[in-house]
Structures are given as structure tokens and as C-alpha cells.
Amino acid sequence: MKFAVVGTGFGAVHLSWLTECRSASVEVLCYNNDDSRARQLAEKHGVGQISSDPVAVIRSGSVDAVAVIAPPGARSEILTAALDAGLLVVCDKPLSVDAGSAETLLRQAEKAGVAGFVTFQWRLNRALRQLRTMLREGRLGRLVALDLEFHHDFLSGPRTAWPWRHDRRVAGAGALADQGVHLFDTILWLTGTPWSVDACRTDTVFASRQTPHGVVDGETEDVASLRLSGGAGASARIFVSRVSAGYRSIRILVQGEKGTAVLSLDPDDGSGNLRVSVLKQPVEVTEFGPDAMNVYRAILGEDADAADVATFADAVAAQKLVDQALSRVTHPERD
């Protein structure tokens, strides 16, 4: 399958995933304004062509599929062109800047009869899948509460290489779009039940950011803490931070009536540790090594079934929780 990849930031990870696939080749790498980085990545991954016009590439008929890793606010035109052309579409998360525009893309995909996937890659993580199986089998009993945290440090400090991440019109949200949407998808996928956001508190730690091209205002949140209610009567807390200096971690605690499970994951390599404590049973601790979580191998049937990968419909469900969180935001008091 011949792919075009749109984006040279996190697009580098998608290029790595695709070059590991036996049944895929990347024909074109599309960029916005950094042709130097595009050439470097193309040379590294054996991509024969670069282009600054992804829509023209899509309409040329030279590719069978497109992976869109452009900023959320720049995705709609590209995704619409790909859906109209009947291409297989893979989009980075979140699907769009808000639930309304994400639903429009879902309807377009359904009308075109096109498969649309979103890279919630943590669904493929072996440790997380084991936790999900445990919950579905009822080993912890009735679900009482969940506690999920995602810490990262890629925006610690007042400098940034990604001005668009601080522009609400382009990014849609800050830490809620960078990390929160992953946890929203995770809680929906883990439990198989609906959730709603009761309250959300955010903080923009840096009011302005230094970029290579000048100063930008910090319009999007760097930290968010949320309370949620589940359809089965459970409650949840979610905390995300993209400014946790020197600290990167995903932690998921599940409290059931019969026991507790705590999963710790490394956001960089997917390795993890799952500790399970059930009444009157020995504590179980399972270590998991690095996990590539290559969504393309699943989509192409090389490693797992495509049913394991999130669809546009899944992305809409997670985006609705982002929108709920933004609509319920309160901010800390400032001196």
C-alpha cells in the first residue's frame, strides 16, 4: 500500500512505524514550511519525494493511503480530500479541533465508505490490553473508581518549538488535546461504558512562550485536572500535565469491589508494570518490556486485527469529552 505522510513533527514516528511494515511504502512526505527537515526525514526513511501540497498529492492518484499528522486545525481540508479520493485514512489524535468538526469528518468517511483510523496507539499496548481483559473478565469485581495520570515534560519551561500548540484555533486545546484525549479514549475503551466530565480545572503555566520566530501567547492549558462520572456508577479522576519537568509517566489505578490494579507505563517506549491485588489472593506483579504499538501493522493485518485500532467514531467519542472538559473549566486564583 502506497502512503503519503503529511507532517514532519510527530510524523517522524509515523514514518518509523510505516517503514517497519512489509506491506507499505511511503511514496511522498508532505511538509508545511520546513523543507530542510522534510528532506532529512525523507532521506533517512527512503522516501523518494517531498511536497508542500498534500491535497495535490492526494488528487494525483499516486497513493493508496494518507497519514495526516498536521496540526488539528489544518487537517480538515487534507482529510476531506483523502476521503473524497477514497483513500485509506490514518489521522493522528485528536481528529479535529472540536467534536462538531470531528463528527463532520466521521459522516464524510461513512458517506464515502472509507476506512478512517486514529492513532490512539495505547490500545495496542500489551500491559494495557491485559488490564482491559482483567476488567472485562470481572477479576476486580464491580468497578468503583479509576485514577489516571499522564505526565510529560516536552513543554516544560517558557520556550517551545511548536507555536501552534499554544493557539486554541489551531490546537483546539492544550494538555487536554496532547494527553487528555489519550486518557479519554483509554477510559472509554477499558471500561466499555459511557463517561461524562463533571468538573475541570486548568492552568496555563506560562502566559507567553518564546519560539524561534518570536513570542506567542499561551492560550491553551498546560495542566488539567478532571472529575468524571461513569455510566455504571463509577467515578474517575484524570490529571494531565505537559510541564512535569524531568518526569514522564502514565499511571492508571483501577479500584474494584474485590481488588485493585495499578498500571505504570513509560510514555517513551511503552514498557510497563502491572500490579494486581485481589482479596485473599497473592499480589501479582507483571513486567512488560518496550512496546512499539505500531498502529499500521495492525491496520495492514501484519500484527493484529484492524479492529484493535481506534476509528473516527472512537475519536469523536473522545473529542466530546475534551469539549465537555473545556466547557466546565475553572482556573486557579492568582495573587
Side-chain angles (χ1 to χ4, degrees):
M1 183 166 284
K2 298 178 180 179
F3 274 83
V5 172
V6 182
T8 58
F10 195 68
V13 175
H14 288 251
L15 285 169
S16 296
W17 279 335
L18 280 164
T19 53
E20 292 173 359
C21 296
R22 300 183 302 275
S23 53
S25 63
V26 180
E27 302 297 310
V28 188
L29 174 61
C30 299
Y31 64 94
N32 182 25
N33 51 30
D34 193 345
D35 62 333
S36 176
R37 176 168 172 78
R39 292 184 189 282
Q40 291 174 0
L41 287 173
E43 182 177 355
K44 176 180 179 180
H45 295 281
V47 180
Q49 181 183 351
I50 66 171
S51 172
S52 61
D53 192 342
V55 173
V57 170
I58 288 166
R59 292 174 177 167
S60 71
S62 63
V63 296
D64 310 305
V66 61
V68 181
I69 311 96
R75 291 174 184 166
S76 181
E77 181 185 9
I78 302 166
L79 290 169
T80 297
L83 294 171
D84 288 345
L87 304 186
L88 172 74
V89 177
V90 182
C91 184
D92 196 30
K93 58 75 200 169
L95 181 57
S96 191
V97 292
D98 55 45
S101 54
E103 285 184 298
T104 297
L105 290 167
L106 171 60
R107 289 193 295 269
Q108 290 173 345
E110 291 172 339
K111 182 178 179 180
V114 172
F117 299 97
V118 178
T119 52
F120 288 121
Q121 69 269 22
W122 289 98
R123 289 180 172 217
L124 301 179
N125 182 267
R126 291 188 299 271
L128 201 55
R129 291 174 70 83
Q130 182 162 315
L131 176 59
R132 182 175 187 255
T133 297
M134 183 182 304
L135 293 180
R136 295 302 174 91
E137 292 175 349
R139 283 195 58 196
L140 301 181
R142 178 179 62 84
L143 184 62
V144 177
L146 293 95
D147 193 273
L148 301 88
E149 294 187 355
F150 193 161
H151 293 266
H152 212 287
D153 61 356
F154 73 103
L155 283 175
S156 295
R159 303 190 66 83
T160 179
W162 305 281
W164 66 267
R165 291 188 183 275
H166 312 283
D167 184 337
R168 189 169 295 280
R169 292 171 300 172
V170 180
L176 287 168
D178 292 331
Q179 298 141 278
V181 73
H182 269 303
L183 297 187
F184 290 145
D185 180 69
T186 295
I187 197 171
L188 291 167
W189 177 76
L190 270 179
T191 65
T193 59
W195 290 84
S196 60
V197 177
D198 299 327
C200 178
R201 185 179 176 95
T202 67
D203 196 340
T204 301
V205 177
F206 300 99
S208 62
R209 297 274 188 167
Q210 296 285 339
T211 81
H213 307 290
V215 178
V216 297
D217 291 333
E219 297 179 0
T220 58
E221 73 285 347
D222 294 318
V223 176
S225 181
L226 307 94
R227 296 197 311 272
L228 298 88
S229 297
S235 63
R237 182 190 74 100
I238 287 179
F239 178 83
V240 291
S241 171
R242 58 187 189 181
V243 293
S244 297
Y247 182 45
R248 299 180 177 185
S249 175
I250 296 174
R251 177 182 172 276
I252 300 172
L253 183 149
V254 181
Q255 177 67 65
E257 63 178 345
K258 295 180 181 178
T260 305
V262 181
L263 174 61
S264 299
L265 294 167
D266 184 328
D268 293 327
D269 67 9
S271 61
N273 171 290
L274 178 61
R275 179 183 178 90
V276 181
S277 177
V278 178
L279 288 173
K280 300 180 180 180
Q281 296 181 21
V283 174
E284 299 177 17
V285 180
T286 308
E287 300 286 344
F288 295 84
D291 194 334
M293 301 177 287
N294 187 331
V295 293
Y296 294 96
R297 293 189 66 182
I299 291 168
L300 298 171
E302 295 185 4
D303 191 27
D305 192 272
D308 295 326
V309 184
T311 65
F312 276 20
D314 296 317
V316 169
Q319 189 83 53
K320 286 181 177 179
L321 292 178
V322 173
D323 285 12
Q324 282 185 26
L326 291 172
S327 71
R328 291 161 172 75
V329 165
T330 60
H331 305 281
E333 294 294 332
R334 301 291 189 186
D335 293 333

